[in-house]
Amino acid sequence: ARQQITNAPGAQRYATVTEDWVAWVDPREDPLRDPYSLCHTDIYGYDRRSGTEHALVSEGDGMHGPTVDGEGPWLAYSDQRSDPYPECDSDQEQSVVALHLPTMTEVRITDWPGFEAEPRVYDRRDGTYGVLFIEEIDYVDAIYRLWDCDLPEP
């Protein structure tokens, strides 16, 4: 069997699947809808229980993404809302933010200046979840640090 998840315009990318949701980065609100530049992206989701599509994270011109990952009740994504210039340049200020899907509560995971990216949510198998991501120290010399942070009980 097969099923189309969305028929929205634009390029839906970086889909992830949790028990109850399919989520992805979506530029449908970007006036240019440039498939090669994810400058005005939101996080959309398809609720697998109800069969309905929803905007999960949508706020003005800030970029949410360009990647999203999920497991269990959590999504995590890079987010530029805290960037002094949140319009597009993904190599500036970027934080990792998580969304607890059952309560639709957002939690900012990183709050320090710099560039953090490529979040991956994982089940710790003890009733808790964590998120792994990289922090860019020096792009030119390719120096990055791997972080493991707790996802809190909402």
Side-chain angles (χ1 to χ4, degrees):
R2 59 186 178 179
Q3 172 184 358
Q4 182 175 326
I5 300 295
T6 184
N7 64 356
Q12 293 79 34
R13 293 190 170 163
Y14 304 106
T16 189
V17 179
T18 69
E19 184 176 317
D20 295 327
W21 291 87
V22 175
W24 63 91
V25 175
D26 195 309
R28 71 179 72 177
E29 299 301 324
D30 182 352
L32 301 177
R33 289 198 185 106
D34 180 352
Y36 302 105
S37 176
L38 298 176
C39 293
H40 300 274
T41 55
D42 297 313
I43 307 294
Y44 273 77
Y46 176 81
D47 184 336
R48 297 169 62 187
R49 296 163 299 172
S50 68
T52 57
E53 181 178 332
H54 306 273
L56 298 175
V57 182
S58 179
E59 183 182 327
D61 288 337
M63 186 174 95
H64 315 289
T67 60
V68 61
D69 187 56
E71 187 167 342
W74 288 99
L75 294 178
Y77 39 91
S78 302
D79 193 295
Q80 293 188 339
R81 283 178 281 183
S82 300
D83 186 340
Y85 306 100
E87 282 286 317
C88 190
D89 189 352
S90 66
D91 199 22
Q92 296 285 330
E93 184 80 17
Q94 182 166 288
S95 299
V96 171
V97 176
L99 178 68
H100 184 251
L101 291 163
T103 61
M104 293 297 166
T105 302
E106 269 193 309
V107 178
R108 188 170 169 196
I109 303 301
T110 61
D111 62 358
W112 59 80
F115 179 78
E116 300 89 42
E118 300 179 26
R120 298 290 178 260
V121 179
Y122 71 99
D123 185 343
R124 291 184 169 152
R125 307 285 186 234
D126 64 0
T128 67
Y129 289 84
V131 60
L132 296 168
F133 57 89
I134 61 167
E135 175 191 18
E136 181 182 273
I137 304 298
D138 187 320
Y139 176 78
V140 174
D141 291 329
I143 300 172
Y144 296 87
R145 298 291 182 261
L146 182 63
W147 286 82
D148 181 3
C149 290
D150 296 337
L151 289 173
E153 289 297 316

